[in-house]
Amino acid sequence: EADIYQTPRYLVIGTGKKITLECSQTMGHDKMYWYQQDPGMELHLIHYSYGVNSTEKGDLSSESTVSRIRTEHFPLTLESARPSHTSQYLCASSSLAGVSYNEQFFGPGTRLTVL
Amino acid sequence: AQTVTQSQPEMSVQEAETVTLSCTYDTSENNYYLFWYKQPPSRQMILVIRQEAYKQQNATENRFSVNFQKAAKSFSLKISDSQLGDTAMYFCAFMSFGGAQKLVFGQGTRLTINP
């Protein structure tokens, strides 16, 4: 399996709490991504990064924010969690090397439930 | 914007049978990539097979092969000699050539292999 990790794997939290979902990879990849996936549904890109100090919004609008201070680390933060944020969040990474395609490797996901 | 459609929410076959999962997509681009990803229950998403749009030859990976019909914008996955370990959600995905290399996913097909 790919060397990309997410913590926590499961999180149940009350409305209004601030949460940070952690994602780290040991492959030295420049690009990192956050996807949101409702149960049994497709993945939607919410954030991505080309490298340190680079963050971009994805195709699906999200109230979450991300930061990229270190190459290996790409945390996602929700300042005030709401029930509508209940979902699974998947982190992925890929290399910038090469001129065409680089495979995205996925983490195991964090399943978030906001009560 | 690109869209990916998987019209089979669920499929079920017996072990050792062959099964084909359907996928159609919409794009105005000429160069792109198509993927099939596998998401086993409670496990990480992994890449099954990849097809470059500029290649006419269909991609194969052991028991997995695709039928890529560029004009029809169709990209089906065939699993031969299915095994219990093939039980998973299967997602078809599209990626533009170059740029941010963002993946656009279909809704997924839940495949169950029965003993």
Side-chain angles (χ1 to χ4, degrees):
Chain A
E1 294 188 346
D3 297 322
I4 179 164
Y5 309 98
Q6 291 185 243
T7 57
R9 292 290 309 277
Y10 303 91
L11 179 62
V12 180
I13 201 162
T15 297
K17 300 290 187 183
K18 178 180 178 178
I19 59 169
T20 297
L21 308 184
E22 302 287 351
C23 174
S24 60
Q25 49 92 10
T26 59
M27 297 173 282
H29 287 168
D30 297 291
K31 285 186 175 177
M32 296 189 74
Y33 309 80
W34 276 104
Y35 293 88
Q36 183 174 341
Q37 181 186 26
D38 289 335
M41 301 293 287
E42 67 264 47
L43 286 73
H44 292 285
L45 181 69
I46 52 175
H47 299 283
Y48 62 100
S49 166
Y50 287 103
V52 172
N53 294 326
S54 155
T55 60
E56 303 285 344
K57 294 283 190 182
D59 300 323
L60 180 68
S61 177
S62 174
E63 294 170 343
S64 59
T65 59
V66 292
S67 62
R68 190 88 183 277
I69 298 173
R70 302 198 320 262
T71 297
E72 64 272 20
H73 197 215
F74 191 41
L76 180 145
T77 298
L78 277 166
E79 290 293 333
S80 179
R82 294 206 301 268
S84 61
H85 297 139
T86 294
S87 190
Q88 175 161 249
Y89 294 84
L90 291 165
C91 181
S93 71
S94 68
S95 171
L96 263 179
V99 297
S100 57
Y101 157 80
N102 291 291
E103 180 179 346
Q104 286 190 24
F105 293 90
F106 284 82
T110 294
R111 192 173 298 279
L112 172 66
T113 301
V114 184
L115 303 175
Chain B
Q2 291 79 20
T3 59
V4 179
T5 303
Q6 294 178 248
S7 58
Q8 304 153 311
E10 295 189 30
M11 295 188 72
S12 178
V13 298
Q14 297 298 121
E15 194 175 8
E17 289 183 348
T18 294
V19 58
T20 299
L21 280 58
S22 301
C23 173
T24 59
Y25 59 95
D26 189 29
T27 183
S28 59
E29 299 176 13
N30 190 47
N31 291 323
Y32 48 87
Y33 303 96
L34 294 164
F35 308 89
W36 279 98
Y37 278 88
K38 171 185 178 181
Q39 188 177 38
S42 301
R43 297 190 63 186
Q44 285 170 255
M45 179 99 72
I46 58 173
L47 178 66
V48 175
I49 198 164
R50 177 183 89 239
Q51 175 78 42
E52 291 89 343
Y54 59 85
K55 289 186 178 179
Q56 293 185 338
Q57 187 173 6
N58 289 322
T60 63
E61 287 287 344
N62 300 312
R63 298 182 295 109
F64 299 87
S65 61
V66 299
N67 184 4
F68 173 51
Q69 301 291 325
K70 190 173 183 179
K73 294 180 182 175
S74 170
F75 183 61
S76 62
L77 173 70
K78 185 172 82 171
I79 305 174
S80 303
D81 186 27
S82 57
Q83 301 174 359
L84 297 178
D86 295 333
T87 292
M89 281 288 288
Y90 286 81
F91 291 95
C92 180
F94 174 100
M95 179 190 287
S96 296
F97 189 85
Q101 295 195 338
K102 298 182 285 183
L103 284 166
V104 177
F105 286 88
Q107 303 91 328
T109 296
R110 185 177 303 278
L111 176 64
T112 302
I113 309 299
N114 298 306

